[in-house]
Amino acid sequence: MTGRARARARSRGRARGQETGPPGVPPPQQTTSAAPPPSEGELVGRGRQRAAPGPVASEDILQISAGFHQVKLGERGGRRRDFHDVGINTRQAMEHVKASKTGTSGSTIQLRANFFRIVSRPQWVLYQYHVDFQPPMESRRLRSALLFQHDETLGSARSFDGAILFLPHRLHSKETMLYSETRHGEKVQIKITLTNELPPTSPVCLQFYNIIFRRILRILNMQQIGRNYYSPNDPLSIPQHRLTIWPGFTTTILQYETSIMLSTDVSHKVLRSETVLDFMGNLRHQCGNQRFPEACAKELIGLIVLTKYNNKTYRIDDIAWDHTPNNTFKRGADDVSFTNYYKTQYGLEITDVKQVLLVSHVKRLGPSGAAPPGPAMLIPEFCYLTGLTDKMRSDFNIMKDLAIHTRLSPEQREARLSRFVNNIQKNTEAQAELGTWGLNFDKQLLNLTGRVLPVERIVQGSRSYDYKPWAADWSKEMRGVPLISSPQLESWLIFYTRRNANEAQNLLQTLHRVSSPLGFRMQRPVMVEYEDYQESLLRALQHNVGQHTQMVVVVLPSNRKDKYDSIKKYLCVDCPTPSQCVLSRTLSKPQALMTVATKIALQMACKMGGELWSVEIPLKQLMIVGIDCYHDTVAGKRSIGALVASLNQGMTRWFSKCVLQDRGQEIMDGLKMALIGALKDFHKFNNSLPSRIIIYRDGVGDGMLQSVVNYEVPQIMESIKSIGHDYMPKLTVVVVKKRVSTRFFAHIDGKLSNPPPGTVIDTEVTRPEWYDFYIVSQAVRMGSVSPTHYNVVYDTSGLKPDHMQRLTYKLCHMYYNWQGIIRVPAPCQYAHKLAFLVGQSIHREPNVWLDDYLFYL
C-alpha cells in the first residue's frame, strides 16, 4: 500500500467518522442557535458539561485531589494527569523511616536550591462551584465572558476554567441561578452549584495556587508551550544554524518536607527558523519526486511542531496527501476553506495553495454527548519545527553554540531565577493578583544543608586505589593495573574496508600494547576485508563468524545506522557473538589512539564476561536489579523492557534480559519471567538464592508512580513467590528519576558552584509522604549539575536510610563503559543501554546465549 493509498484510506475513515478542521475549530453541532465564533487561538470544547457532583464529607477531604483531576482545568494546559504524583503516601507503610528518613554519614555542606518558600497564603476556606450553562456554550472564553457579567454577585476575586469556579467567599445559597445574554441576543441560564468547601490544608488548594501562578506568568507576557512557560518577546537567535531559543521557566508549587514552596528552573525551547514547508521543499529537492512521500513520512511523522499564531505545539501523526488549503471543513453550518479560515481568523495569507496538510490527533474529549473532535489539520507553511534532529545533535558546532545559551553555570542560573522572582515582585498587576488571593513568595533562594559521602576506594585485581573526588574519574589511576579477571581472547576477527586498512592495523597494534598491562591476553585475529556496502558486510560476517568466535571487531567507514543495525541484528540474534564497532574517524588521530584503544580493550573484555573493577559492598547474598524501558517507534510502537541483575558479591557479573511488548501493555508483564530467570541464574552462580533483593526502577514517567506501587510491586512479589513458597527475601523497590527540575548550588571559595560528587540531600526539598532523597553523583565540566531523585516506594529490608544512600552511591561507580561515576546506579544504565540497542537496532529479543554477558555496551 503506497503512502498516497494509505492517506486516502485514512481520509475516507475520517470523512465517515468525524469532521476534520484546523486546531481551535469545534466539530459542527446540530443546534438551532449559532454561538459566536471562537476567539483567536482558542481551543474550544474544553470543560464538558456534566452533572454537578455532590458535596464531600470532611473525612473524604484527602480524596478531593483525585476528584480534582477529573475536571478540565484549562489553565493547566488541558492535561488531567497529575504529573507530581500528589497523594501517593508510601512512607507510612515503612516503620523504620516513619520517624526519620535522613542519613548521618559524610561531611556537611551548605547548599542553595532553586526553591522559594511561600511566606504567606490564604488561611480562609476556598469554595469550589460547578457551573452549568443552558443552552450549553462551546467556547471557554464565551463561558467566562457570560459568567463575569455578574461581578456584583461573584466579586472581583475568582478563578474560572470553563466548568469549575473558585471563590474566596460563599454565595448566599448553595445553588445560584444567573441569566446572561450573548452579543447575538441569545438568552443563557447559568446555574452555579456549591460542590466543595476546601480548607487551606486541602491538596486542591495546592493545585489552585499553581493555577494562580500560571496566571502570573501570563501577566508577565509568557506563553505556555507544553507544561512550561516561555518568553517569545525575548528570543535568543543563532542565525548561523537557523535556530531560535525561547527562554522560559518550569514552575511547580507543592508541599515539601516542612513548607509549601515554589520550585522553579530555567527552561529553553529550541525552535528552528525553517517551517515544515521549507523542510519538505528541501527534502523533495534531495530525494526526487518518486521517493519524496516515503522520505517525507519517515522524517516528519512523530515530530513536534509549533504554530506561532496560537503558540501551541502539535505532534505530526500523519500527512494528508489528498488535502490542500483549498479543501473545506464544517464550521457551524457553513463550509469554510482552510485558506479563508486562516485569513479571517489570524490574518494569515497562505502562499502555496498546493501544499499538502499535516494531521495531528489532538488528545482531548469532545463536548458532552458528541463524538470526539476530528484530528487537527495543520498548514505546513505555518508550522515551525521544534527541537533538534539526530544529525544536529551529532554536529559539534551546533551543540557548542547552543550550549553557550542553554548550559548555565550555577551563578548564571541563580541570577536568572532571582531576576524572574524580582520581575514578579516589581510587576504591579502580578502583585495585585497575588494580593487578591493572599499569596506571597520569599525573595531569596532556599538555603539548606547537605552531606558529602566519603570517597569510595576502587578495587582492581589485587590492588586498590583512590581517585580525585572532584573529577569523579579514575581513567589515569587504572592504567597499567591488571583487571579483576579477563578471558583469553584466542579466536577473534577484525572486519575492515580497503580504505580503512591502515586504521585497522594501527588499532590492532595499539590493542596489543594496551591489553598486556591490563592482564587481557589476546592472540592475533583473522583480518577480513569487506566491500563498503551493507550486503557485502553481512555476507562477510556470515562466512567468517563461527560458533567458536569469541569477539568480532568491525571498523566502519561512516556512522550509517543501517550498517550498524545489520551487524548488531546478526551478531545478537542469528549468530550470538560479542561485537565491537569502531568508526574509522575515531582511529584517525594518532595522539588519541592509546586512550581510544584502552577503552575499546576494556569494552571487549567486559563484553566477554571480564570483570574490570569493583567497590566494597558490605551486604552479603544481595542481588541488585535495574529495570528500564524504551519505546520503539519503528516496530509498531512497541515497548522494550530491560532487566539487568547482579550475579555475584562484587557486582561485577550481570544477567541481562530484554522483552518486547505491545503498546499499552504493562512493562512488568514480560519482565516477571526475566526476574525469575535472574534468580535462577543467581542460584547457578552462588548455589543459593539471594536473601535481599534491591530493585532500581528507572524510566518511570511523571504521573506513573501509582502504577508502580499498585501494579508493579505486587507483580515483583508474585515472581519471587513462584520460586518457592518458603522463599521470602527482603525486598526494596526504588524509583529512579533523572528528569527533575531540582538544582543545588554549593558555596565554595566565596562563589556559587556545583556540589561535589557524593552530595546527598534528604531534608527540606524532599516530600513528607515519601521515603526519598537526592544524590549528586557525577561531575560536570559545563553548566549546572543535575541531581538524581531516588524514591523508595517499598521496603521490607529495614536498611537504615544512611546505608541505602551509600549503597546507591557505590553502585554509581560500577558502570564498565565509563571509568568514573555516573548519574544512576550501574544496573539502571545497563538496562537503558540494552533497551536502547534492542529498540534502535535489533527490534527482536537477543539470543539467550548472551544473557550472562554485557554484550550491549
Side-chain angles (χ1 to χ4, degrees):
M1 201 177 194
T2 65
R4 284 176 186 275
R6 274 197 301 272
R8 277 196 295 273
R10 275 189 281 262
S11 271
R12 283 195 293 273
R14 284 197 295 267
R16 281 194 299 269
Q18 48 195 18
E19 291 288 340
T20 63
V25 178
Q29 292 212 4
Q30 301 304 313
T31 175
T32 50
S33 59
S39 56
E40 189 167 303
E42 191 71 53
L43 268 171
V44 299
R46 313 272 282 278
R48 292 181 296 161
Q49 302 302 319
R50 64 188 73 206
V56 176
S58 58
E59 62 266 30
D60 294 330
I61 205 75
L62 289 175
Q63 299 302 317
I64 294 173
S65 187
F68 188 83
H69 303 313
Q70 299 307 310
V71 303
K72 291 196 169 177
L73 289 173
E75 297 184 15
R76 291 197 295 163
R79 303 291 290 269
R80 286 183 293 164
R81 200 169 86 202
D82 175 18
F83 292 111
H84 306 293
D85 300 299
V86 173
I88 302 166
N89 193 331
T90 49
R91 185 178 170 187
Q92 63 187 5
M94 298 178 243
E95 287 294 331
H96 62 296
V97 289
K98 264 188 180 178
S100 171
K101 61 177 183 181
T102 56
T104 54
S105 62
S107 55
T108 59
I109 184 171
Q110 293 307 307
L111 302 170
R112 270 192 199 171
N114 57 336
F115 290 78
F116 295 89
R117 288 187 201 274
I118 291 188
V119 291
S120 72
R121 62 192 182 98
Q123 293 305 314
W124 28 256
V125 172
L126 190 65
Y127 296 91
Q128 181 179 330
Y129 291 88
H130 180 84
V131 184
D132 195 44
F133 293 82
Q134 286 299 332
M137 293 290 113
E138 197 56 54
S139 162
R140 193 181 80 219
R141 190 168 286 189
L142 176 60
R143 291 198 293 271
S144 298
L146 292 168
L147 182 66
F148 294 163
Q149 287 176 12
H150 302 277
D151 275 355
E152 71 288 348
T153 306
L154 303 176
S156 58
R158 71 260 169 130
S159 176
F160 179 61
D161 78 306
I164 303 294
L165 172 69
F166 290 106
L167 295 175
H169 59 272
R170 184 173 180 152
L171 298 177
H172 292 301
S173 54
K174 191 178 174 185
E175 210 170 80
T176 305
M177 304 297 285
L178 301 172
Y179 298 90
S180 295
E181 193 174 303
T182 69
R183 60 185 175 187
H184 298 290
E186 186 182 6
K187 299 276 192 294
V188 179
Q189 176 189 288
I190 305 170
K191 184 166 82 171
I192 304 171
T193 310
L194 177 68
T195 55
N196 275 323
E197 294 185 13
L198 307 169
T201 53
S202 164
V204 184
C205 288
L206 291 176
Q207 306 281 8
F208 173 70
Y209 300 155
N210 281 287
I211 293 171
I212 296 300
F213 198 78
R214 282 173 172 78
R215 194 179 292 175
I216 300 299
L217 296 174
R218 284 199 299 278
I219 289 171
L220 297 177
N221 294 321
M222 298 182 82
Q223 298 281 354
Q224 185 175 6
I225 300 176
R227 290 188 233 166
N228 304 329
Y229 278 77
Y230 299 90
S231 300
N233 303 329
D234 193 20
L236 306 164
S237 186
I238 310 176
Q240 66 270 34
H241 306 303
R242 300 184 71 189
L243 293 174
T244 304
I245 302 168
W246 283 6
F249 296 93
T250 68
T251 62
T252 311
I253 298 172
L254 280 177
Q255 172 71 56
Y256 293 95
E257 209 65 53
T258 55
S259 59
I260 295 174
M261 292 190 282
L262 163 70
S263 168
T264 179
D265 192 29
V266 177
S267 176
H268 295 95
K269 194 68 164 174
V270 178
L271 306 174
R272 291 188 246 165
S273 303
E274 61 179 340
T275 63
V276 174
L277 187 62
D278 298 333
F279 182 83
M280 290 169 90
N282 293 334
L283 195 64
R284 189 189 290 271
H285 183 70
Q286 286 169 22
C287 62
N289 287 341
Q290 195 173 352
R291 282 186 54 232
F292 174 66
E294 185 188 343
C296 200
K298 188 179 176 183
E299 290 287 338
L300 288 178
I301 290 175
L303 293 185
I304 304 295
V305 295
L306 174 79
T307 49
K308 287 188 180 177
Y309 52 81
N310 61 357
N311 279 323
K312 293 195 183 297
T313 52
Y314 300 89
R315 184 185 188 274
I316 300 175
D317 293 306
D318 201 356
I319 300 168
W321 296 101
D322 52 349
H323 277 58
T324 70
N326 289 329
N327 278 67
T328 59
F329 64 93
K330 282 280 184 196
R331 191 175 186 216
D334 303 325
D335 287 325
V336 182
S337 73
F338 289 92
T339 309
N340 287 338
Y341 171 79
Y342 280 96
K343 190 172 183 179
T344 55
Q345 188 77 356
Y346 302 109
L348 295 171
E349 288 278 357
I350 295 175
T351 54
D352 182 356
V353 291
K354 292 184 179 177
Q355 62 187 297
V356 296
L357 303 189
L358 308 172
V359 181
S360 179
H361 299 301
V362 183
K363 292 177 184 173
R364 58 190 172 90
L365 298 164
S368 183
M377 306 297 283
L378 305 168
I379 309 293
E381 189 178 331
F382 301 145
C383 295
Y384 287 83
L385 293 161
T386 68
L388 302 172
T389 62
D390 290 338
K391 190 179 175 185
M392 286 173 158
R393 287 182 194 281
S394 61
D395 187 315
F396 175 78
N397 291 322
I398 291 179
M399 298 311 288
K400 184 184 168 189
D401 293 339
L402 262 179
I404 293 168
H405 298 289
T406 58
R407 284 200 180 172
L408 304 178
S409 69
E411 288 186 325
Q412 289 172 318
R413 194 174 287 268
E414 193 219 26
R416 187 85 66 90
L417 293 173
S418 298
R419 193 162 67 241
F420 170 58
V421 170
N422 284 338
N423 287 343
I424 295 172
Q425 302 280 353
K426 288 176 186 172
N427 189 299
T428 50
E429 193 182 343
Q431 284 303 300
E433 182 67 30
L434 288 170
T436 302
W437 297 99
L439 282 171
N440 195 11
F441 296 91
D442 202 339
K443 297 180 179 67
Q444 303 297 320
L445 268 79
L446 177 74
N447 289 302
L448 72 163
T449 304
R451 289 176 295 111
V452 182
L453 296 177
V455 177
E456 293 295 330
R457 198 164 174 79
I458 306 298
V459 179
Q460 193 172 320
S462 59
R463 288 177 57 184
S464 64
Y465 51 82
D466 293 320
Y467 58 89
K468 290 176 184 170
W470 275 96
D473 178 291
W474 49 88
S475 51
K476 285 180 183 172
E477 286 81 357
M478 76 175 294
R479 279 182 197 161
V481 181
L483 305 175
I484 295 173
S485 77
S486 54
Q488 288 195 27
L489 185 52
E490 292 169 346
S491 174
W492 61 299
L493 306 161
I494 294 184
F495 291 83
Y496 63 95
T497 61
R498 182 171 297 172
R499 197 174 52 168
N500 301 133
N502 283 341
E503 283 91 341
Q505 283 299 333
N506 292 340
L507 173 63
L508 177 58
Q509 288 167 14
T510 318
L511 277 174
H512 279 298
R513 279 170 62 194
V514 300
S515 59
S516 295
L518 294 169
F520 180 26
R521 290 195 292 177
M522 50 176 75
Q523 302 297 323
R524 189 162 181 82
V526 175
M527 306 291 285
V528 182
E529 188 180 310
Y530 68 94
E531 296 294 322
D532 188 11
Y533 60 94
Q534 193 177 322
E535 292 76 13
S536 168
L537 175 55
L538 198 54
R539 211 163 35 244
L541 289 169
Q542 288 164 347
H543 288 169
N544 292 282
V545 181
Q547 63 181 41
H548 298 297
T549 306
Q550 293 172 279
M551 172 62 65
V552 173
V553 177
V554 184
V555 179
L556 292 166
S558 68
N559 60 351
R560 272 187 55 182
K561 188 177 180 297
D562 54 351
K563 228 178 252 183
Y564 178 83
D565 291 356
S566 67
I567 296 166
K568 291 297 179 183
K569 206 171 283 184
Y570 181 69
L571 294 176
C572 292
V573 180
D574 304 324
C575 182
T577 312
S579 59
Q580 179 68 46
C581 294
V582 193
L583 279 174
S584 60
R585 189 178 67 219
T586 311
L587 305 172
S588 60
K589 297 169 185 168
Q591 67 274 20
L593 197 54
M594 283 288 280
T595 307
V596 169
T598 303
K599 291 192 173 179
I600 290 170
L602 292 172
Q603 272 189 297
M604 288 166 66
C606 66
K607 283 181 180 182
M608 293 165 60
E611 300 166 56
L612 307 191
W613 65 79
S614 185
V615 292
E616 189 196 347
I617 308 281
L619 295 171
K620 304 288 183 266
Q621 285 189 295
L622 166 68
M623 184 166 92
I624 299 286
V625 179
I627 295 174
D628 202 355
C629 53
Y630 174 86
H631 301 293
D632 185 358
T633 53
V634 177
K637 294 193 175 176
R638 287 186 296 181
S639 289
I640 291 107
L643 179 144
V644 175
S646 64
L647 295 172
N648 64 347
Q649 169 66 25
M651 308 289 157
T652 56
R653 294 299 305 272
W654 301 89
F655 168 88
S656 310
K657 198 76 182 167
C658 209
V659 292
L660 279 76
Q661 300 190 161
D662 294 326
R663 194 181 185 186
Q665 197 178 348
E666 290 287 352
I667 209 77
M668 272 316 294
D669 290 351
L671 291 179
K672 272 167 73 176
M673 292 311 296
L675 182 56
I676 293 166
L679 288 165
K680 287 176 178 175
D681 217 25
F682 188 97
H683 189 274
K684 190 173 77 180
F685 260 72
N686 303 280
N687 292 320
S688 66
L689 286 164
S691 61
R692 193 189 295 270
I693 301 169
I694 298 177
I695 296 175
Y696 288 94
R697 170 69 161 97
D698 205 344
V700 176
D702 296 335
M704 284 171 57
L705 190 64
Q706 191 82 60
S707 168
V708 174
V709 174
N710 290 355
Y711 185 81
E712 293 188 15
V713 172
Q715 294 279 78
I716 291 165
M717 292 164 77
E718 205 177 292
S719 301
I720 293 167
K721 204 176 281 182
S722 68
I723 296 291
H725 287 294
D726 56 342
Y727 177 52
M728 294 178 68
K730 293 171 178 175
L731 175 66
T732 305
V733 180
V734 187
V735 171
V736 181
K737 205 166 180 188
K738 300 185 293 289
R739 285 189 169 189
V740 292
S741 57
T742 305
R743 295 289 180 273
F744 299 106
F745 317 118
H747 298 272
I748 296 167
D749 298 332
K751 66 170 189 173
L752 223 55
S753 53
N754 285 315
T759 301
V760 175
I761 299 94
D762 54 11
T763 60
E764 297 277 4
V765 296
T766 50
R767 302 269 283 270
E769 71 273 25
W770 295 346
Y771 169 17
D772 62 332
F773 54 91
Y774 290 91
I775 298 183
V776 175
S777 51
Q778 78 283 25
V780 296
R781 291 196 185 101
M782 275 182 75
S784 305
V785 72
S786 295
T788 303
H789 184 247
Y790 298 93
N791 185 2
V792 183
V793 296
Y794 183 85
D795 188 18
T796 59
S797 73
L799 267 184
K800 291 178 182 174
D802 200 61
H803 294 166
M804 190 71 229
Q805 293 166 7
R806 289 201 63 179
L807 175 65
T808 301
Y809 183 51
K810 282 173 183 285
L811 291 167
C812 295
H813 294 67
M814 291 302 301
Y815 180 60
Y816 284 163
N817 218 4
W818 178 255
Q819 297 106 294
I821 314 175
I822 59 167
R823 267 192 82 178
V824 292
C828 291
Q829 190 64 15
Y830 288 140
H832 168 76
K833 287 285 281 188
L834 175 57
F836 187 79
L837 175 70
V838 172
Q840 279 277 306
S841 303
I842 304 174
H843 309 297
R844 286 158 68 189
E845 286 184 26
N847 196 298
V848 292
W849 187 85
L850 295 169
D851 283 356
D852 290 346
Y853 300 98
L854 298 171
F855 65 93
Y856 41 84
L857 288 189

